[in-house]
């Protein structure tokens, strides 16, 4: 077994895996919020805000997915108004 001094920290592979899993989990949460709270304007605003923050905050291929959710929330808000 390696000692603590031999272990690489931070481990790039584990960080990349963790970021990917967290982005997937948040995408699932936001998509579920869009479906469940389609008649609640406050939740649509919250979903739009969270999707925008995650979309502009993450890098790589997941950013457009978050921004699409924000656009869907925008359309839902306009429909409710």
């Amino acid at each position: 077994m390696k000692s603590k001094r031999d272990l690489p920290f931070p481990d790039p592979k584990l960080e990349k895996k963790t970021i990917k899993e967290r982005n997937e989990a948040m995408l699932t949460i936001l998509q579920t919020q869009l479906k469940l709270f389609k008649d609640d304007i406050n939740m649509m605003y919250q979903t739009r805000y969270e999707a925008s923050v995650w979309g502009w905050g993450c890098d790589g291929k997941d950013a457009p997915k978050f921004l699409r959710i924000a656009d869907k929330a925008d359309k839902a808000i306009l429909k409710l108004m």
Side-chain angles (χ1 to χ4, degrees):
M1 185 169 160
K2 293 183 178 182
S3 71
K4 288 184 180 180
R5 292 182 185 159
D6 295 338
L7 293 174
F9 182 80
D11 188 354
K13 285 183 183 178
L14 291 178
E15 284 189 10
K16 190 173 184 178
K17 180 182 174 189
T18 302
I19 290 169
K20 180 182 176 197
E21 289 175 0
R22 185 62 188 143
N23 284 345
E24 289 174 0
M26 196 61 187
L27 278 169
T28 304
I29 289 169
L30 292 172
Q31 289 170 345
T32 304
Q33 283 180 353
L34 275 178
K35 292 177 186 174
L36 290 178
F37 301 108
K38 58 186 169 193
D39 296 333
D40 186 359
I41 196 162
N42 290 328
M43 284 302 293
M44 286 294 114
Y45 270 110
Q46 181 177 343
T47 303
R48 178 185 171 274
Y49 175 76
E50 289 178 5
S52 295
V53 168
W54 279 85
W56 292 111
C58 77
D59 53 344
K61 63 182 179 181
D62 290 333
K65 295 176 186 177
F66 286 111
L67 296 177
R68 270 188 247 122
I69 291 174
D71 288 340
K72 287 180 184 178
D74 278 341
K75 290 177 185 175
I77 291 168
L78 290 173
K79 188 184 280 187
L80 288 173
M81 295 176 124

Coordinates of all heavy atoms in Angstrom, one line a residue:
M1 N 0.8 -1.2 0.0 CA 0.0 0.0 0.0 C 0.9 1.2 0.0 O 1.9 1.3 0.7 CB -0.9 0.0 1.2 CG -1.9 1.1 1.2 SD -3.1 0.8 2.6 CE -3.6 2.5 2.7
K2 N 0.5 2.2 -0.8 CA 1.2 3.5 -0.8 C 1.0 4.3 0.4 O -0.1 4.3 1.0 CB 0.8 4.3 -2.1 CG 1.1 3.6 -3.4 CD 0.7 4.5 -4.5 CE 1.1 3.9 -5.8 NZ 0.7 4.8 -6.9
S3 N 2.0 5.0 0.7 CA 1.9 6.0 1.9 C 1.2 7.2 1.4 O 1.0 7.5 0.2 CB 3.3 6.3 2.5 OG 4.0 7.1 1.6
K4 N 0.8 8.0 2.4 CA 0.0 9.3 2.0 C 0.9 10.2 1.2 O 0.4 10.9 0.4 CB -0.4 10.0 3.3 CG -1.5 9.2 4.0 CD -2.0 10.1 5.2 CE -3.1 9.3 5.9 NZ -3.6 10.1 7.1
R5 N 2.2 10.1 1.4 CA 3.1 11.0 0.7 C 3.2 10.6 -0.8 O 3.5 11.5 -1.7 CB 4.4 11.0 1.3 CG 4.4 11.7 2.7 CD 5.8 11.7 3.3 NE 5.7 12.2 4.6 CZ 6.6 12.1 5.5 NH1 7.7 11.4 5.3 NH2 6.4 12.5 6.7
D6 N 2.9 9.4 -1.1 CA 3.0 8.9 -2.5 C 1.8 9.1 -3.3 O 1.8 9.0 -4.5 CB 3.4 7.4 -2.5 CG 4.8 7.1 -1.9 OD1 5.6 8.1 -1.9 OD2 5.0 6.0 -1.5
L7 N 0.6 9.4 -2.6 CA -0.6 9.6 -3.4 C -0.7 10.9 -4.0 O -0.4 11.9 -3.3 CB -1.8 9.4 -2.4 CG -2.0 8.0 -1.8 CD1 -3.1 8.0 -0.8 CD2 -2.3 7.0 -2.9
P8 N -1.1 11.0 -5.2 CA -1.2 12.3 -5.9 C -2.4 13.1 -5.4 O -3.5 12.5 -5.3 CB -1.3 12.0 -7.4 CG -1.9 10.6 -7.4 CD -1.3 9.9 -6.2
F9 N -2.2 14.3 -5.0 CA -3.4 15.1 -4.6 C -3.2 16.5 -5.2 O -2.1 17.1 -5.1 CB -3.5 15.2 -3.1 CG -4.7 16.0 -2.7 CD1 -5.9 15.5 -2.7 CD2 -4.6 17.4 -2.4 CE1 -7.0 16.2 -2.3 CE2 -5.7 18.1 -2.1 CZ -6.9 17.5 -2.0
P10 N -4.1 17.0 -5.9 CA -5.4 16.4 -6.3 C -5.2 15.5 -7.4 O -4.4 15.7 -8.3 CB -6.3 17.6 -6.6 CG -5.3 18.7 -7.0 CD -4.1 18.4 -6.3
D11 N -6.1 14.5 -7.5 CA -6.0 13.4 -8.5 C -6.9 13.9 -9.7 O -8.1 14.0 -9.6 CB -6.5 12.1 -8.0 CG -6.3 11.0 -9.0 OD1 -5.9 11.2 -10.1 OD2 -6.6 9.8 -8.6
P12 N -6.3 14.2 -10.8 CA -7.1 14.7 -12.0 C -8.2 13.8 -12.4 O -9.2 14.3 -12.8 CB -6.0 15.0 -13.1 CG -4.7 15.0 -12.4 CD -4.9 14.2 -11.1
K13 N -7.9 12.5 -12.4 CA -8.9 11.6 -12.9 C -10.1 11.6 -12.0 O -11.3 11.6 -12.5 CB -8.3 10.1 -12.9 CG -7.4 9.9 -14.1 CD -7.0 8.4 -14.0 CE -6.0 8.1 -15.1 NZ -5.5 6.7 -15.0
L14 N -9.9 11.6 -10.7 CA -11.0 11.6 -9.8 C -11.8 12.9 -9.8 O -13.0 12.9 -9.7 CB -10.5 11.3 -8.3 CG -10.0 9.9 -8.1 CD1 -9.5 9.8 -6.6 CD2 -11.1 8.9 -8.3
E15 N -11.1 14.0 -10.0 CA -11.7 15.3 -10.1 C -12.6 15.4 -11.3 O -13.7 15.8 -11.3 CB -10.7 16.4 -10.1 CG -10.2 16.7 -8.7 CD -9.3 17.9 -8.7 OE1 -9.3 18.7 -9.6 OE2 -8.7 18.1 -7.7
K16 N -12.1 14.9 -12.4 CA -12.9 14.9 -13.7 C -14.1 14.0 -13.6 O -15.2 14.4 -14.0 CB -12.0 14.4 -14.8 CG -12.6 14.6 -16.2 CD -11.6 14.3 -17.3 CE -12.2 14.6 -18.6 NZ -11.2 14.3 -19.7
K17 N -14.0 12.9 -12.9 CA -15.1 11.9 -12.8 C -16.1 12.6 -11.8 O -17.3 12.5 -12.1 CB -14.6 10.6 -12.2 CG -15.7 9.6 -11.9 CD -15.1 8.4 -11.3 CE -16.2 7.4 -11.0 NZ -15.8 6.3 -10.2
T18 N -15.7 13.2 -10.8 CA -16.6 13.8 -9.8 C -17.4 15.0 -10.5 O -18.6 15.1 -10.3 CB -15.8 14.3 -8.6 OG1 -15.1 13.2 -8.0 CG2 -16.8 15.0 -7.6
I19 N -16.7 15.8 -11.2 CA -17.4 16.9 -11.9 C -18.4 16.4 -12.9 O -19.5 16.9 -13.0 CB -16.3 17.8 -12.6 CG1 -15.5 18.5 -11.6 CG2 -17.0 18.8 -13.6 CD1 -14.3 19.2 -12.1
K20 N -18.0 15.3 -13.6 CA -19.0 14.8 -14.6 C -20.2 14.2 -13.9 O -21.4 14.5 -14.3 CB -18.3 13.6 -15.4 CG -19.2 13.0 -16.4 CD -18.5 11.9 -17.1 CE -19.5 11.2 -18.0 NZ -19.0 9.9 -18.5
E21 N -20.0 13.5 -12.8 CA -21.2 12.9 -12.1 C -22.0 14.0 -11.5 O -23.3 13.9 -11.5 CB -20.7 12.0 -11.0 CG -20.1 10.7 -11.6 CD -19.5 9.8 -10.5 OE1 -19.5 10.1 -9.3 OE2 -19.0 8.7 -10.9
R22 N -21.4 15.1 -11.0 CA -22.2 16.2 -10.4 C -23.0 16.9 -11.4 O -24.1 17.3 -11.2 CB -21.2 17.1 -9.6 CG -21.9 18.2 -8.9 CD -22.8 17.6 -7.8 NE -23.6 18.7 -7.3 CZ -24.8 18.6 -6.9 NH1 -25.4 17.5 -6.9 NH2 -25.5 19.6 -6.4
N23 N -22.4 17.1 -12.6 CA -23.1 17.8 -13.7 C -24.3 17.0 -14.1 O -25.4 17.5 -14.3 CB -22.2 18.1 -14.8 CG -21.3 19.3 -14.6 OD1 -21.5 20.0 -13.7 ND2 -20.3 19.4 -15.4
E24 N -24.1 15.7 -14.2 CA -25.2 14.8 -14.6 C -26.3 14.8 -13.6 O -27.5 14.8 -13.9 CB -24.7 13.4 -14.8 CG -23.9 13.2 -16.1 CD -23.3 11.8 -16.2 OE1 -23.5 11.0 -15.3 OE2 -22.5 11.6 -17.2
A25 N -26.0 14.8 -12.3 CA -27.0 14.8 -11.3 C -27.7 16.1 -11.3 O -29.0 16.1 -11.2 CB -26.3 14.6 -9.9
M26 N -27.1 17.2 -11.5 CA -27.7 18.5 -11.5 C -28.6 18.6 -12.7 O -29.7 19.2 -12.7 CB -26.7 19.6 -11.5 CG -27.3 21.0 -11.1 SD -28.0 20.8 -9.5 CE -28.8 22.4 -9.4
L27 N -28.2 18.1 -13.9 CA -29.0 18.1 -15.1 C -30.3 17.4 -14.8 O -31.4 17.8 -15.2 CB -28.3 17.5 -16.3 CG -27.3 18.3 -17.0 CD1 -26.5 17.5 -18.0 CD2 -28.1 19.4 -17.8
T28 N -30.2 16.2 -14.1 CA -31.4 15.4 -13.8 C -32.3 16.2 -12.9 O -33.6 16.2 -13.1 CB -31.0 14.1 -13.2 OG1 -30.1 13.4 -14.0 CG2 -32.2 13.2 -12.9
I29 N -31.8 16.9 -11.9 CA -32.6 17.6 -10.9 C -33.3 18.8 -11.6 O -34.5 19.0 -11.4 CB -31.7 18.2 -9.8 CG1 -31.2 17.1 -8.9 CG2 -32.4 19.3 -9.0 CD1 -30.1 17.5 -7.9
L30 N -32.6 19.5 -12.5 CA -33.2 20.6 -13.2 C -34.3 20.2 -14.2 O -35.4 20.8 -14.3 CB -32.2 21.5 -13.9 CG -31.2 22.2 -12.9 CD1 -30.1 22.8 -13.7 CD2 -31.9 23.2 -12.1
Q31 N -34.1 19.1 -14.9 CA -35.1 18.6 -15.8 C -36.3 18.1 -15.1 O -37.4 18.3 -15.5 CB -34.5 17.5 -16.6 CG -33.5 18.0 -17.6 CD -32.7 16.8 -18.3 OE1 -32.7 15.7 -17.9 NE2 -32.0 17.2 -19.4
T32 N -36.1 17.5 -13.9 CA -37.2 17.1 -13.1 C -38.0 18.3 -12.6 O -39.3 18.3 -12.6 CB -36.8 16.2 -11.9 OG1 -36.0 15.1 -12.5 CG2 -37.9 15.7 -11.1
Q33 N -37.3 19.3 -12.2 CA -38.0 20.5 -11.7 C -38.9 21.1 -12.8 O -40.0 21.6 -12.6 CB -37.0 21.6 -11.2 CG -36.5 21.3 -9.9 CD -35.5 22.4 -9.4 OE1 -35.1 23.3 -10.2 NE2 -35.1 22.3 -8.2
L34 N -38.4 21.1 -14.1 CA -39.1 21.7 -15.2 C -40.4 20.9 -15.4 O -41.5 21.5 -15.7 CB -38.3 21.6 -16.5 CG -37.4 22.7 -16.8 CD1 -36.6 22.5 -18.1 CD2 -38.1 24.1 -16.9
K35 N -40.4 19.6 -15.2 CA -41.5 18.8 -15.4 C -42.5 18.9 -14.3 O -43.7 18.9 -14.5 CB -41.1 17.3 -15.6 CG -40.4 17.1 -16.9 CD -40.0 15.6 -17.0 CE -39.1 15.5 -18.3 NZ -38.5 14.1 -18.4
L36 N -42.0 18.8 -13.0 CA -42.9 18.8 -11.9 C -43.6 20.1 -11.6 O -44.7 20.2 -11.1 CB -42.1 18.3 -10.6 CG -41.7 16.9 -10.6 CD1 -40.9 16.6 -9.4 CD2 -42.9 16.0 -10.7
F37 N -42.8 21.2 -11.7 CA -43.3 22.5 -11.3 C -43.6 23.4 -12.5 O -43.4 24.6 -12.5 CB -42.3 23.2 -10.4 CG -42.0 22.4 -9.2 CD1 -40.8 21.8 -9.0 CD2 -42.9 22.3 -8.2 CE1 -40.5 21.0 -7.9 CE2 -42.6 21.5 -7.0 CZ -41.4 20.9 -6.9
K38 N -44.2 22.9 -13.5 CA -44.5 23.7 -14.8 C -45.6 24.7 -14.6 O -45.7 25.6 -15.4 CB -44.9 22.7 -15.9 CG -46.0 21.9 -15.7 CD -46.2 20.9 -16.8 CE -47.3 19.9 -16.4 NZ -47.3 18.7 -17.3
D39 N -46.3 24.7 -13.5 CA -47.4 25.7 -13.2 C -47.0 26.6 -12.1 O -47.8 27.5 -11.7 CB -48.7 25.0 -12.8 CG -49.2 24.2 -14.0 OD1 -48.9 24.5 -15.1 OD2 -49.9 23.2 -13.7
D40 N -45.8 26.5 -11.6 CA -45.3 27.4 -10.5 C -44.2 28.3 -11.0 O -43.1 27.9 -11.3 CB -44.8 26.5 -9.3 CG -44.4 27.3 -8.1 OD1 -44.5 28.5 -8.1 OD2 -44.0 26.7 -7.1
I41 N -44.6 29.6 -11.1 CA -43.7 30.6 -11.7 C -42.4 30.8 -10.8 O -41.3 31.0 -11.4 CB -44.4 31.9 -12.0 CG1 -43.6 32.7 -12.9 CG2 -44.7 32.7 -10.7 CD1 -44.3 33.8 -13.6
N42 N -42.6 30.7 -9.5 CA -41.4 30.9 -8.6 C -40.4 29.8 -8.9 O -39.2 30.0 -8.9 CB -41.8 30.9 -7.2 CG -42.6 32.2 -6.8 OD1 -42.3 33.2 -7.4 ND2 -43.5 32.1 -5.9
M43 N -40.8 28.5 -9.0 CA -39.9 27.4 -9.3 C -39.3 27.5 -10.6 O -38.2 27.1 -10.8 CB -40.6 26.1 -9.1 CG -40.9 25.7 -7.6 SD -39.3 25.6 -6.7 CE -38.5 24.2 -7.4
M44 N -40.1 28.0 -11.6 CA -39.5 28.2 -12.9 C -38.4 29.2 -12.9 O -37.3 29.0 -13.6 CB -40.6 28.7 -13.9 CG -41.5 27.6 -14.3 SD -40.7 26.3 -15.3 CE -40.9 24.9 -14.2
Y45 N -38.6 30.3 -12.2 CA -37.5 31.3 -12.0 C -36.3 30.7 -11.3 O -35.1 30.9 -11.7 CB -38.0 32.5 -11.2 CG -38.6 33.6 -12.1 CD1 -39.9 33.9 -12.1 CD2 -37.8 34.4 -12.9 CE1 -40.5 34.9 -12.9 CE2 -38.3 35.4 -13.7 CZ -39.7 35.6 -13.7 OH -40.2 36.6 -14.5
Q46 N -36.5 29.9 -10.3 CA -35.4 29.3 -9.6 C -34.7 28.3 -10.5 O -33.4 28.3 -10.5 CB -35.9 28.5 -8.3 CG -34.8 27.9 -7.6 CD -35.3 27.3 -6.3 OE1 -36.4 27.5 -5.8 NE2 -34.5 26.4 -5.7
T47 N -35.4 27.5 -11.3 CA -34.8 26.6 -12.2 C -34.0 27.3 -13.3 O -32.9 26.9 -13.6 CB -35.9 25.7 -12.8 OG1 -36.7 25.0 -11.8 CG2 -35.3 24.7 -13.8
R48 N -34.6 28.4 -13.8 CA -33.9 29.2 -14.8 C -32.6 29.7 -14.2 O -31.5 29.7 -14.9 CB -34.8 30.3 -15.2 CG -34.1 31.2 -16.2 CD -35.1 32.4 -16.5 NE -34.4 33.4 -17.3 CZ -33.7 34.4 -16.8 NH1 -33.5 34.5 -15.5 NH2 -33.1 35.2 -17.6
Y49 N -32.6 30.2 -13.0 CA -31.4 30.8 -12.4 C -30.4 29.7 -12.2 O -29.2 29.9 -12.5 CB -31.8 31.5 -11.0 CG -30.6 32.0 -10.3 CD1 -30.0 33.1 -10.7 CD2 -30.1 31.3 -9.2 CE1 -28.8 33.6 -10.0 CE2 -29.0 31.7 -8.5 CZ -28.4 32.9 -8.9 OH -27.3 33.3 -8.3
E50 N -30.8 28.6 -11.6 CA -29.8 27.5 -11.3 C -29.2 27.0 -12.6 O -28.0 26.7 -12.7 CB -30.5 26.4 -10.5 CG -30.8 26.7 -9.1 CD -31.5 25.6 -8.4 OE1 -31.6 24.5 -9.0 OE2 -31.9 25.8 -7.2
A51 N -30.0 26.8 -13.6 CA -29.5 26.3 -14.9 C -28.5 27.3 -15.5 O -27.5 26.9 -16.1 CB -30.6 26.1 -15.9
S52 N -28.8 28.6 -15.4 CA -27.9 29.6 -15.9 C -26.6 29.6 -15.2 O -25.5 29.7 -15.8 CB -28.5 31.0 -15.8 OG -29.7 31.1 -16.6
V53 N -26.7 29.5 -13.9 CA -25.4 29.5 -13.1 C -24.6 28.3 -13.4 O -23.4 28.4 -13.6 CB -25.8 29.5 -11.6 CG1 -24.5 29.2 -10.7 CG2 -26.3 30.9 -11.2
W54 N -25.2 27.1 -13.5 CA -24.4 25.9 -13.8 C -23.9 26.0 -15.3 O -22.8 25.5 -15.6 CB -25.3 24.7 -13.6 CG -25.3 24.3 -12.2 CD1 -26.2 24.7 -11.2 CD2 -24.5 23.3 -11.6 NE1 -25.9 24.1 -10.0 CE2 -24.9 23.2 -10.2 CE3 -23.4 22.5 -12.0 CZ2 -24.2 22.4 -9.3 CZ3 -22.8 21.7 -11.1 CH2 -23.2 21.6 -9.8
G55 N -24.7 26.5 -16.2 CA -24.3 26.6 -17.6 C -23.1 27.5 -17.8 O -22.2 27.2 -18.5
W56 N -23.1 28.7 -17.1 CA -22.0 29.6 -17.3 C -20.8 29.2 -16.4 O -19.7 29.7 -16.7 CB -22.5 31.0 -17.0 CG -23.4 31.5 -18.1 CD1 -24.7 31.8 -17.9 CD2 -23.1 31.8 -19.5 NE1 -25.3 32.2 -19.1 CE2 -24.3 32.2 -20.1 CE3 -22.0 31.7 -20.2 CZ2 -24.4 32.5 -21.4 CZ3 -22.1 32.0 -21.6 CH2 -23.3 32.4 -22.2
G57 N -21.1 28.4 -15.4 CA -20.0 28.1 -14.5 C -19.3 26.8 -14.9 O -18.1 26.6 -14.5
C58 N -19.9 25.9 -15.6 CA -19.2 24.7 -16.0 C -18.5 24.9 -17.3 O -18.9 25.8 -18.1 CB -20.2 23.5 -16.0 SG -21.2 23.4 -17.4
D59 N -17.6 24.0 -17.6 CA -16.9 24.1 -18.8 C -17.1 22.8 -19.6 O -17.5 21.8 -19.0 CB -15.4 24.3 -18.6 CG -14.7 23.3 -17.7 OD1 -15.5 22.7 -17.0 OD2 -13.5 23.2 -17.7
G60 N -16.9 22.8 -20.9 CA -17.0 21.6 -21.6 C -18.3 21.4 -22.3 O -19.1 22.4 -22.5
K61 N -18.7 20.2 -22.5 CA -19.8 19.9 -23.3 C -21.1 20.0 -22.5 O -22.2 19.9 -23.1 CB -19.7 18.4 -23.9 CG -19.6 17.4 -22.8 CD -19.4 16.0 -23.4 CE -19.3 15.0 -22.2 NZ -19.1 13.7 -22.7
D62 N -21.1 20.1 -21.2 CA -22.3 20.2 -20.4 C -23.0 21.6 -20.4 O -24.1 21.7 -20.1 CB -22.1 19.7 -19.0 CG -21.8 18.2 -18.9 OD1 -22.3 17.5 -19.8 OD2 -21.2 17.7 -18.0
A63 N -22.2 22.6 -20.7 CA -22.7 24.0 -20.6 C -23.9 24.2 -21.5 O -24.9 24.7 -21.0 CB -21.6 24.9 -20.9
P64 N -23.9 23.7 -22.8 CA -25.1 24.0 -23.6 C -26.4 23.2 -23.1 O -27.5 23.7 -23.2 CB -24.7 23.4 -25.0 CG -23.2 23.4 -25.0 CD -22.8 23.2 -23.6
K65 N -26.2 22.1 -22.4 CA -27.3 21.4 -21.8 C -28.0 22.2 -20.8 O -29.2 22.3 -20.7 CB -26.9 20.0 -21.3 CG -26.4 19.1 -22.3 CD -25.9 17.8 -21.7 CE -25.2 16.9 -22.7 NZ -24.7 15.7 -22.0
F66 N -27.2 22.8 -19.9 CA -27.7 23.7 -18.9 C -28.4 24.9 -19.4 O -29.5 25.3 -19.0 CB -26.6 24.1 -17.9 CG -26.2 23.0 -16.9 CD1 -24.9 22.5 -17.0 CD2 -27.0 22.5 -16.0 CE1 -24.5 21.5 -16.2 CE2 -26.6 21.5 -15.1 CZ -25.4 21.0 -15.2
L67 N -27.8 25.5 -20.5 CA -28.4 26.7 -21.1 C -29.7 26.4 -21.8 O -30.6 27.2 -21.9 CB -27.4 27.4 -22.0 CG -26.1 27.9 -21.2 CD1 -25.1 28.5 -22.2 CD2 -26.5 28.9 -20.2
R68 N -29.8 25.2 -22.4 CA -31.1 24.8 -23.0 C -32.2 24.7 -21.9 O -33.3 25.0 -22.2 CB -30.9 23.4 -23.7 CG -30.5 23.6 -25.1 CD -30.6 22.3 -25.9 NE -29.2 22.0 -26.3 CZ -28.5 20.9 -25.9 NH1 -29.1 19.9 -25.3 NH2 -27.3 20.8 -26.3
I69 N -31.8 24.2 -20.8 CA -32.8 24.1 -19.7 C -33.3 25.5 -19.3 O -34.4 25.7 -19.0 CB -32.3 23.3 -18.5 CG1 -32.1 21.8 -18.9 CG2 -33.2 23.4 -17.3 CD1 -31.4 21.0 -17.8
A70 N -32.3 26.4 -19.2 CA -32.6 27.8 -18.9 C -33.6 28.4 -19.9 O -34.5 29.1 -19.6 CB -31.4 28.7 -18.8
D71 N -33.3 28.1 -21.2 CA -34.2 28.6 -22.3 C -35.6 28.0 -22.2 O -36.6 28.7 -22.4 CB -33.6 28.2 -23.7 CG -32.4 29.1 -24.0 OD1 -32.3 30.1 -23.4 OD2 -31.7 28.6 -24.9
K72 N -35.7 26.7 -21.8 CA -37.0 26.1 -21.6 C -37.8 26.7 -20.5 O -39.0 26.9 -20.5 CB -36.9 24.6 -21.4 CG -36.5 23.8 -22.6 CD -36.3 22.3 -22.3 CE -35.9 21.5 -23.4 NZ -35.7 20.1 -23.1
A73 N -37.0 27.0 -19.4 CA -37.7 27.7 -18.3 C -38.1 29.1 -18.7 O -39.2 29.5 -18.2 CB -36.7 27.7 -17.1
D74 N -37.4 29.8 -19.5 CA -37.8 31.1 -20.0 C -39.1 31.0 -20.7 O -40.0 31.8 -20.5 CB -36.8 31.7 -20.9 CG -35.6 32.4 -20.2 OD1 -35.8 32.7 -19.0 OD2 -34.6 32.5 -20.9
K75 N -39.2 30.0 -21.6 CA -40.5 29.8 -22.4 C -41.6 29.5 -21.5 O -42.7 29.9 -21.6 CB -40.2 28.8 -23.4 CG -39.3 29.2 -24.5 CD -39.1 28.1 -25.5 CE -38.0 28.5 -26.5 NZ -37.6 27.5 -27.5
A76 N -41.4 28.6 -20.4 CA -42.4 28.3 -19.5 C -42.9 29.5 -18.7 O -44.1 29.6 -18.4 CB -41.9 27.2 -18.6
I77 N -41.9 30.3 -18.3 CA -42.3 31.5 -17.6 C -43.2 32.5 -18.4 O -44.2 33.0 -17.9 CB -41.0 32.3 -17.1 CG1 -40.3 31.5 -16.0 CG2 -41.4 33.7 -16.6 CD1 -38.9 31.9 -15.7
L78 N -42.8 32.6 -19.7 CA -43.6 33.5 -20.5 C -44.9 32.9 -20.8 O -45.9 33.7 -20.9 CB -42.8 33.7 -21.9 CG -41.6 34.5 -21.8 CD1 -40.8 34.5 -23.1 CD2 -41.9 36.0 -21.4
K79 N -45.0 31.6 -20.9 CA -46.3 31.0 -21.0 C -47.2 31.2 -19.8 O -48.4 31.4 -19.9 CB -46.1 29.5 -21.3 CG -47.4 28.8 -21.7 CD -47.2 27.3 -21.8 CE -46.6 26.9 -23.1 NZ -46.5 25.5 -23.4
L80 N -46.6 31.1 -18.6 CA -47.4 31.3 -17.4 C -47.9 32.8 -17.2 O -48.9 33.1 -16.6 CB -46.6 30.9 -16.2 CG -46.4 29.4 -16.0 CD1 -45.5 29.1 -14.8 CD2 -47.8 28.8 -15.7
M81 N -47.1 33.7 -17.8 CA -47.4 35.1 -17.6 C -48.6 35.4 -18.5 O -49.5 36.0 -18.4 CB -46.3 36.0 -17.9 CG -45.1 35.9 -17.0 SD -43.7 36.9 -17.5 CE -43.5 37.8 -16.0

